[in-house]
Amino acid sequence: MKVDLNADLGESYGSWRMGDDDALLDVVTSANVACGFHAGGSRATDTLSGLGPRPLAAGDVLPLGEAAPPTRAVVAPLTPPAEGTVTLEAMPGPRTDWLADPALDGEWTVAPDSNRVGVRLTGHAWPRARTDELPSEGVVRGSIQLPPDGRPVLFGPDHPITGGYPVVGVLTDTSCDLLAQLRPGQRVRFRAVAK
């Protein structure tokens, strides 16, 4: 059995200590490597929250610490990025009732301001049946959020909560991998699959 661990490897949590991570590698599908401002000595900035030190700039000098012990690298199989229009499989819901037409139909273009937080799609607006907003909700990677302008945002690994907009579908794990390889200007369509 594999689990999706959304935590930083290389840190301590309760009785879990640094060095115990190798035991996790055989059962997790994905995890973050310790890279935030909280990871001892890191110089990384969380661009979404603004936490951590300022982003690195030309001319910055970084001090080096002691060498870390060797670790076992886990490398996922490499799949070349798809060419042409990419079809992403999506499970409808939980808020397809907010769509004027609940079919996950249409074709869009990946916007240039896409990143690890979200892939923004441009093109036709996906009409909403409701215009009010929801209380913020937690979401998962691959959620398809529909802001008021009707242009979908596909949440990546650094996604926030919903911010009050409905999630009308969720990408499959395989499609989340394809999502990570999309390039600005590439065309995207959805294919609904059973939950």
Side-chain angles (χ1 to χ4, degrees):
M1 177 175 123
K2 294 276 189 175
V3 295
D4 188 13
L5 176 70
N6 189 11
D8 289 337
L9 295 181
E11 296 185 13
S12 300
Y13 294 100
S15 63
W16 195 263
R17 299 283 175 235
M18 290 177 67
D20 293 339
D21 295 334
D22 284 344
L24 286 176
L25 297 178
D26 292 330
V27 295
V28 298
T29 58
S30 66
N32 303 317
V33 175
C35 61
F37 74 97
H38 53 281
S42 175
R43 305 303 187 269
T45 300
D46 182 329
T47 58
L48 183 61
S49 68
L51 296 175
R54 68 170 176 73
L56 293 176
D60 284 350
V61 177
L62 299 178
L64 296 176
E66 295 180 29
T71 60
R72 185 175 89 195
V74 177
V75 179
L78 179 63
T79 303
E83 296 294 327
T85 301
V86 175
T87 300
L88 300 174
E89 293 182 335
M91 297 167 282
R95 307 248 183 240
T96 48
D97 59 322
W98 283 56
L99 290 171
D101 177 1
L104 297 177
D105 291 331
E107 192 168 302
W108 292 269
T109 302
V110 176
D113 57 346
S114 298
N115 56 32
R116 287 178 49 87
V117 173
V119 172
R120 297 182 177 281
L121 302 180
T122 61
H124 73 278
W126 210 348
R128 284 175 44 173
R130 296 176 58 175
T131 57
D132 49 323
E133 293 189 11
L134 298 159
S136 293
E137 299 176 308
V139 294
V140 296
R141 174 183 67 123
S143 292
I144 305 168
Q145 182 183 59
L146 195 59
D149 68 2
R151 289 173 181 81
V153 177
L154 313 178
F155 283 152
D158 292 347
H159 66 81
I161 58 174
T162 63
Y165 307 136
V167 171
V168 297
V170 178
L171 300 179
T172 63
D173 284 341
T174 300
S175 289
C176 283
D177 295 341
L178 293 172
L179 175 69
Q181 296 181 339
L182 294 176
R183 296 174 303 283
Q186 196 162 15
R187 301 287 292 168
V188 173
R189 72 171 58 104
F190 299 110
R191 180 174 61 234
V193 295
K195 292 182 182 181

